[in-house]
Amino acid sequence: MSSSEPRRTALDALHRSLGATMTDFAGWDMPLRYGSERDEHNAVRTKAGLFDLSHMGEITVTGPQAGLLLNFALVGNIASVGVGRARYTMICQADGGILDDLIVYRLADTEFMVVANASNAQVVLDALTERAAGFDAEVRDDRDAYALIAVQGPESPGILASLTDADLDGLKYYAGLPGTVAGVPALIARTGYTGEDGFELFVSPSDAETLWQALTKAGEGVGLVPCGLSCRDTLRLEAGMPLYGHELSRELTPFDAGLGRVVKFEKEGDFVGREALSEAASRAVENPPRVLVGLVAEGRRVPRAGYAVVAGGGVIGEVTSGAPSPTLGKPIAMAYVDAAHAAPGTAGVGVDIRGTHEPYEVVALPFYKRQK
């Protein structure tokens, strides 16, 4: 296979048999949608959806100093994460720019799994490997060792409970435990990117099809449908969750992105980017950066990434993500705007859509929050 050919997940043949529209995403051939992306989106909000996320990048870090290495390499306090818990964090350059946002699972005292975005997995692997110098820890590329299947939505706990004797009731948000699902060994994590309750199941690629079929059968009576990347994007957008390459980039620090809370200056020892991020934190107080806000259309035209946000005849920001919102029934966007125009309800804000200034309402993120 030539290097230009996209990689295929263990579920590739199954997606095609289901009539999925496939697309090249970060070097992987992935299902974009199976039927209507609106129907898939609504299924996750009201019932349940099944996703193949095997393109995500799993990197295992093991050894006596694994926690210390991750504390040095990442901005969070990873050494303080309890076994069986997970943490959202970021890996930054020395200048504070974001290389990727990550979820780190602590699987054992001396074993962690770092999950990177598909588009950045190699960058993260290279950075962790380089930063491991001098630590008694090993960084291992486990991208081929896992398939990742997610079941998301209000019906997902019931669907999964019918296939496992793992203690799902005791499994908190951002926690993971080893278990067996439909006879398949899995790391069962209560994480997701949809704004709904749900689970991500890390399994061997050879077990992926068995698990997918079992979940499909278990969800037949409660409206479970297979879901592609298209509705994953609208779900995360409604939930106000950032996407690397849109809301996050090497040009932005976590403070620019309004996510300075993930940077833990209080942890012991140095970490990559500490000095630059300390300066960025000070700058953010004295001279607030643009703020990530929600925009809701008054009309029907959909804003796209890169479109200018305008007010008073001038440009005040830029759209980072935009799409029709199935839940709100209107086009929505996330955008970075000048602090002076960031307050919800700020009047006179619009988006320049091909030369026309379409009126938009500034709202606080997220657009959608599930009822607990």
Side-chain angles (χ1 to χ4, degrees):
M1 185 188 282
S2 75
S3 59
S4 60
E5 290 251 337
R7 298 179 66 181
R8 297 185 169 192
T9 77
L11 295 167
D12 185 79
L14 193 147
H15 297 316
R16 291 168 197 278
S17 74
L18 292 171
T21 300
M22 305 296 287
T23 187
D24 184 344
F25 182 81
W28 290 81
D29 219 7
M30 298 297 295
L32 191 61
R33 70 182 74 81
Y34 297 85
S36 150
E37 54 204 54
R38 175 181 291 268
D39 289 348
E40 291 172 26
H41 179 110
N42 289 334
V44 176
R45 285 277 177 261
T46 59
K47 294 168 184 149
L50 192 58
F51 296 83
D52 178 10
L53 305 178
S54 301
H55 61 310
M56 300 295 281
E58 296 87 6
I59 300 161
T60 304
V61 181
T62 55
Q65 292 189 315
L68 291 176
L69 161 59
L70 291 171
N71 265 18
F72 170 70
L74 312 180
V75 300
N77 190 350
I78 308 305
S80 69
V81 176
V83 173
R85 298 308 302 264
R87 188 157 294 170
Y88 176 78
T89 187
M90 292 182 184
I91 183 166
C92 289
Q93 303 177 134
D95 68 2
I98 303 165
L99 283 173
D100 201 13
D101 62 334
L102 311 163
I103 295 180
V104 180
Y105 298 87
R106 188 168 201 159
L107 305 180
D109 277 343
T110 60
E111 183 179 5
F112 297 80
M113 182 168 68
V114 177
V115 180
N117 285 297
S119 55
N120 295 326
Q122 190 64 48
V123 168
V124 174
L125 177 67
D126 292 346
L128 286 176
T129 302
E130 186 184 317
R131 295 173 189 187
F135 287 93
D136 186 2
E138 181 198 345
V139 176
R140 189 173 72 233
D141 180 359
D142 269 348
R143 284 177 287 180
D144 292 337
Y146 291 103
L148 177 56
I149 295 172
V151 55
Q152 299 277 305
E155 297 287 353
S156 58
I159 292 168
L160 194 57
S162 72
L163 298 173
T164 183
D165 55 8
D167 178 18
L168 299 183
D169 289 341
L171 188 64
K172 297 185 174 73
Y173 187 50
Y174 266 72
L177 84 173
T180 303
V181 183
V184 169
L187 171 67
I188 304 166
R190 199 165 209 148
T191 44
Y193 196 50
T194 61
E196 297 300 334
D197 191 10
F199 303 87
E200 296 184 320
L201 307 168
F202 295 86
V203 299
S204 165
S206 60
D207 290 328
E209 196 163 326
T210 300
L211 181 57
W212 180 281
Q213 299 287 26
L215 288 163
T216 299
K217 194 163 175 19
E220 269 173 4
V222 291
L224 175 84
V225 301
C227 294
L229 292 183
S230 189
C231 83
R232 182 168 146 91
D233 192 48
T234 52
L235 289 160
R236 70 92 195 167
L237 176 56
E238 287 184 350
M241 294 174 167
L243 175 63
Y244 195 90
H246 289 256
E247 289 71 42
L248 308 174
S249 73
R250 293 183 186 209
E251 283 66 54
L252 297 173
T253 72
F255 294 95
D256 295 321
L259 291 164
R261 65 180 181 277
V262 305
V263 182
K264 303 301 182 190
F265 292 115
E266 68 275 15
K267 65 180 172 175
E268 279 183 40
D270 196 16
F271 62 91
V272 177
R274 180 190 271 273
E275 197 177 322
L277 288 167
S278 182
E279 290 169 12
S282 302
R283 274 200 311 275
V285 173
E286 293 157 25
N287 182 22
R290 282 182 164 175
V291 179
L292 188 64
V293 300
L295 298 174
V296 178
E298 292 180 20
R300 308 302 311 162
R301 297 182 76 187
V302 179
R304 297 297 181 192
Y307 286 10
V309 182
V310 293
V315 174
I316 58 152
E318 186 177 308
V319 171
T320 52
S321 297
S325 164
T327 305
L328 276 63
K330 298 174 179 179
I332 58 172
M334 285 201 275
Y336 282 111
V337 302
D338 294 343
H341 294 86
T346 300
V349 173
V351 175
D352 185 339
I353 300 182
R354 298 187 194 89
T356 306
H357 291 185
E358 298 283 339
Y360 272 74
E361 181 190 355
V362 179
V363 299
L365 292 169
F367 299 98
Y368 166 85
K369 202 163 191 176
R370 74 182 170 97
Q371 304 302 306
K372 297 285 188 202

